[in-house]
Amino acid sequence: MSRIQAARPEPQAPPMDEEQRLRELGYQPVLARRMGGFGNFAISFSVISILSGCMTLYGFGLSTGGPATMMWGWAGVGLFVLFIGLALAEVTSAYPTSGALYYMADKLGGRRWGWYTGWLNLLGLLGAIAGIDYGAALFTGAFLNLRFGFEPTPGSTFVIFLIILLVHAVLNLFGVRLVSLLNSISVWWHLAGVAVIVGALAVVPDHHQSASFVFTEFVNDTGWANPFYVAAIGLLLAQYTFCGYDASAHLSEETSNASVAAAKGIVRAIWVSWIAGFALLAGLTFAIQDYAGTQNSATGVPPAQILIDALGDGAASALLLVVIVAQLFCGNAETAAASRMVFAFSRDNALPGSKVWRKVSSRTQTPVAAVWLSVAVPALLALPSLWSATAYGAVTAINVIGITPAYAIPIYLRLRAGDRFQRGPWHLGRWSKPIGWIAVVWVAFVTVLFCLPQKSPVTVDSMNYAVIALAVVLVLASVWWYVARRSYGVPTATAYGSAREQAEISEGIV
């Protein structure tokens, strides 16, 4: 890492005039640049949210490879995701806009590259909100079950989910300063929460699993016979958790010194989450008292059962609240990122009803309609959970196979551009190509992997519907391309932004 850092510019270099840089990229600044470097890191760290991803998919991991796949999968996936983050950060430094991935792809590869990247990115972001907030609803149901004997049902869980979506919409309407404050609190909440949970699980229980169990025990309850296939499918836990770090790029138009701060925010969010997440998974797995009982917990949430068995009802309730609050922070941050993506994509006339979604409040400088759309679509995506027990796994896979390819496309196009790519102030130097190619190959692998069925035999209930969701979005994007291709387009980079862009953005401020 030190050699990569040495390739970057001197840290004392004067910060770029980001508002002028945005105009050079073709956009008139309309969002409030009130977020600092820590706030930018905090939003990606909050979206990755190890207390959301690791905890909500822990039960999936218990059945799909067990402790060995969870622990070694986390270590391996985290390394490859760090390569993705490093390569993406380099491109972000060159193009610090709210559109982020699709704007990069458009500039480096052309309009169609940008168009499909944008639709994939949007699918991933909206799928992430559905997965995060539905996971928070599951944990809330487990808490209510533990404290008040509440029996969670698909219907009651969905109602809790809708309430959480509403709360996140309202919080995001108050402006980026509140979002930044909540994300900064979220960082310390997550780190302290992991320390408290792992510390309690290490000290209180009389019995712990052996290191051999934690790092070598393989469990296969998927119905598939091939252990390599099962272990590969089990990587979903880690890959799903390591999603959403493009939030730093989407908030770049609201970040000071974004050409450096947004790039650093992506990389820092990944490596801090990598370390803290490994500690969390190890702490939970060492503390398992009854493997089968954990899998079949009456709470519906296996980590809750680990806390109950190891610490008792009172302490388990308190720690469940810590987890739930962390998940709420995570969903709120992801709503902010998704709404900026909706705003930016609409600014370039890519969505149906773009004139509505790109409007910005003159009071809070927040894209209000984009916020509401960013919670309405996840509500629709999670509807199948009312009928299918495997729907939550499908929603998380939708997030992974939507957003992960969107990360790789601008990286691939940057590699293809070669010396034509004009680097920003944060770059990888001579390490750019090897890191970039590792990132692209890994993304291609996991994209195929998470389109595969996760349970055998494959039935209506066990089908992996993520591939269908991906196909539907690509078909709709292709159809809409022929409707909107004449109006869609990122502006040509000029000194002050295109006349069309300035006129449309001025029209969009309400």
Side-chain angles (χ1 to χ4, degrees):
M1 289 298 294
S2 60
R3 298 176 69 182
I4 293 173
Q5 290 172 342
R8 300 176 192 159
E10 293 298 321
Q12 59 263 35
M16 181 181 293
D17 182 344
E18 296 293 348
E19 301 290 52
Q20 178 60 23
R21 175 59 181 150
L22 188 60
R23 293 186 181 95
E24 290 171 357
L25 294 174
Y27 295 114
Q28 182 69 13
V30 295
L31 300 175
R33 202 175 288 275
R34 295 170 181 164
M35 183 176 284
F38 184 82
N40 187 276
F41 147 74
I43 191 165
S44 281
F45 181 78
S46 297
V47 172
I48 292 175
S49 184
I50 53 178
L51 286 174
S52 178
C54 290
M55 300 292 269
T56 53
L57 278 187
Y58 190 83
F60 175 86
L62 289 175
S63 301
T64 316
T69 297
M70 285 194 286
M71 300 309 302
W72 294 111
W74 182 270
V77 170
L79 178 61
F80 284 113
V81 170
L82 185 59
F83 284 131
I84 299 172
L86 286 164
L88 186 62
E90 181 177 55
V91 190
T92 297
S93 180
Y95 302 109
T97 72
S98 294
L101 309 181
Y102 86 85
Y103 181 91
M104 302 170 196
D106 192 294
K107 287 301 182 186
L108 292 170
R111 294 175 71 228
R112 284 218 183 193
W113 280 104
W115 177 265
Y116 284 101
T117 301
W119 280 99
L120 285 170
N121 191 194
L122 189 59
L123 170 68
L125 288 168
L126 297 175
I129 295 174
I132 292 162
D133 284 0
Y134 195 84
L138 288 171
F139 269 73
T140 302
F143 173 80
L144 295 174
N145 172 267
L146 183 60
R147 299 307 300 166
F148 307 108
F150 173 81
E151 291 296 332
T153 64
S156 61
T157 301
F158 195 80
V159 171
I160 297 171
F161 167 66
L162 293 178
I163 293 171
I164 292 171
L165 285 175
L166 179 61
V167 169
H168 286 154
V170 171
L171 288 174
N172 271 273
L173 296 179
F174 285 98
V176 75
R177 184 164 290 174
L178 176 60
V179 171
S180 182
L181 173 63
L182 291 173
N183 289 331
S184 297
I185 296 171
S186 171
V187 171
W188 302 113
W189 186 275
H190 274 81
L191 294 177
V194 170
V196 170
I197 291 170
V198 173
L201 291 175
V203 172
V204 176
D206 295 327
H207 168 73
H208 289 92
Q209 298 290 343
S210 66
S212 174
F213 173 87
V214 172
F215 294 103
T216 66
E217 182 72 15
F218 185 84
V219 177
N220 178 11
D221 293 331
T222 65
W224 296 108
N226 190 317
F228 295 102
Y229 181 88
V230 174
I233 295 298
L235 298 179
L236 177 60
L237 183 154
Q239 191 66 55
Y240 166 69
T241 304
F242 281 116
C243 278
Y245 42 87
D246 57 316
S248 289
H250 289 297
L251 273 291
S252 58
E253 289 185 33
E254 296 159 86
T255 301
S256 301
N257 194 24
S259 297
V260 173
K264 287 184 175 180
I266 291 171
V267 177
R268 287 174 178 170
I270 292 170
W271 70 257
V272 173
S273 299
W274 189 19
I275 295 170
F278 189 85
L280 177 62
L281 288 174
L284 286 169
T285 309
F286 271 111
I288 293 175
Q289 305 296 305
D290 176 0
Y291 202 95
T294 298
Q295 288 179 294
N296 301 307
S297 173
T299 67
V301 178
Q305 194 62 49
I306 293 174
L307 297 176
I308 294 167
D309 293 343
L311 306 175
D313 289 358
S317 298
L319 293 181
L320 273 178
L321 274 180
V322 170
V323 173
I324 291 167
V325 172
Q327 292 171 337
L328 294 178
F329 277 130
C330 173
N332 190 64
E334 185 72 346
T335 302
S339 64
R340 271 50 174 190
M341 172 60 196
V342 170
F343 158 76
F345 217 27
S346 300
R347 178 171 62 180
D348 291 325
N349 294 312
L351 295 179
S354 285
K355 286 187 177 181
V356 175
W357 313 125
R358 68 171 174 245
K359 289 185 177 180
V360 177
S361 167
S362 59
R363 182 175 60 86
T364 63
Q365 292 180 277
T366 298
V368 175
V371 170
W372 286 113
L373 184 65
S374 298
V375 297
V377 174
L380 295 176
L381 285 177
L383 268 178
S385 66
L386 290 170
W387 301 282
S388 172
T390 59
Y392 182 67
V395 168
T396 57
I398 286 170
N399 169 222
V400 171
I401 68 172
I403 208 166
T404 308
Y407 292 153
I409 291 171
I411 297 171
Y412 165 73
L413 293 174
R414 178 263 175 274
L415 293 167
R416 193 180 72 166
D419 294 337
R420 291 187 294 108
F421 173 71
Q422 296 183 353
R423 300 185 307 191
W426 194 101
H427 59 84
L428 300 173
R430 62 195 178 94
W431 290 97
S432 180
K433 287 185 179 180
I435 288 175
W437 281 116
I438 290 171
V440 170
V441 171
W442 175 253
V443 168
F445 169 69
V446 296
T447 300
V448 173
L449 185 64
F450 297 134
C451 289
L452 301 176
Q454 298 165 357
K455 292 281 188 179
S456 178
V458 179
T459 65
V460 172
D461 288 333
S462 65
M463 170 71 180
N464 183 355
Y465 291 98
V467 65
I468 297 177
L470 177 63
V472 168
V473 167
L474 291 176
V475 169
L476 290 177
S478 299
V479 171
W480 187 248
W481 167 259
Y482 290 100
V483 176
R485 68 185 186 277
R486 292 177 180 170
S487 59
Y488 162 74
V490 303
T492 303
T494 66
Y496 300 102
S498 67
R500 173 184 71 81
E501 186 57 42
Q502 293 206 41
E504 290 183 349
I505 292 300
S506 298
E507 170 193 312
I509 300 176
V510 295

